[in-house]
Amino acid sequence: MMRLAILPALLLLPACSLFDNSDPREGVEEQSVCIERYIDTLNRQNRNLLIQSQDMVVPVFTYDVTKMDLEAMTALMVEGSDQSAGIRLTQQTNELSTAVARFKAEPADEKGAFFLGHDPALYRVRGEAIALDQLLGAACDRQQADMRLVDLEWVASNQTEQTDGADAAPDNETGN
């Protein structure tokens, strides 16, 4: 008799996740969880590069900041950051997916640029030169509460020295 009462309860456990309204972009994400989540999106070649290569690169980080509150997002903004980049691209393309793709293709500098007003809201920023095998850890360390790493690109650091750093577009794309 007891077994018959337990069986329906066990069958309902997997359905509990269907009613879970939580957003995985909310809250604080531990570095190890961030690394595991992001590395699962990579192909084997890019995964091996990020784990084994000690080449010096200049990264561009893209974070989903949709769930960040205004105060936390304002703290990311520095003098000269581009707060209207996403708005301009959305107005030019009149298509959200095209605007997001163009935003991600735009060069980023150390002041950062924002794609705001939509889901996803994005923040792109160029980091300092770093060894490739330390890049993913650094990207996840930069993450704040309600912020998630969604894309990571880089160029060899010697390439940015040869060209104007702000105009150098990343050529080794490893994200989604």
Side-chain angles (χ1 to χ4, degrees):
M1 187 69 125
M2 182 70 128
R3 289 183 187 151
L4 290 176
I6 294 174
L7 184 60
L10 289 175
L11 292 175
L12 288 175
L13 283 177
C16 291
S17 65
L18 294 175
F19 304 110
D20 184 8
N21 291 347
S22 66
D23 191 319
R25 298 174 294 182
E26 292 179 329
V28 175
E29 184 177 53
E30 298 288 326
Q31 183 193 40
S32 60
V33 174
C34 172
I35 289 171
E36 184 178 325
R37 174 184 55 80
Y38 190 80
I39 211 152
D40 284 345
T41 67
L42 302 176
N43 64 35
R44 177 175 281 145
Q45 179 182 2
N46 288 332
R47 187 177 300 162
N48 289 340
L49 269 175
L50 282 173
I51 294 171
Q52 298 170 355
S53 176
Q54 294 181 357
D55 292 344
M56 293 301 288
V57 297
V58 175
V60 173
F61 309 109
T62 304
Y63 297 96
D64 184 325
V65 294
T66 307
K67 298 300 177 178
M68 286 185 90
D69 62 30
L70 184 59
E71 187 176 308
M73 204 176 300
T74 302
L76 291 174
M77 296 179 192
V78 296
E79 178 129 3
S81 64
D82 192 348
Q83 300 169 30
S84 64
I87 294 166
R88 288 193 315 272
L89 292 170
T90 302
Q91 290 170 345
Q92 290 171 5
T93 63
N94 209 21
E95 176 68 37
L96 180 61
S97 61
T98 304
V100 169
R102 285 188 53 194
F103 175 75
K104 286 179 152 186
E106 290 287 318
D109 64 18
E110 64 281 348
K111 295 176 184 171
F114 291 87
F115 187 94
L116 302 174
H118 297 285
D119 188 349
L122 302 172
Y123 172 62
R124 282 177 49 86
V125 63
R126 185 176 67 205
E128 295 182 12
I130 189 170
L132 194 51
D133 63 350
Q134 297 173 11
L135 183 58
L136 188 51
C140 290
D141 278 345
R142 263 184 106 127
Q143 211 171 243
Q144 298 176 20
D146 302 326
M147 176 186 207
R148 295 295 181 266
L149 176 68
V150 293
D151 203 7
L152 183 57
E153 304 166 354
W154 67 85
V155 293
S157 63
N158 62 358
Q159 286 180 346
T160 58
E161 293 168 5
Q162 295 170 358
T163 62
D164 178 19
D167 295 331
D171 60 358
N172 291 345
E173 194 167 310
T174 63
N176 299 341

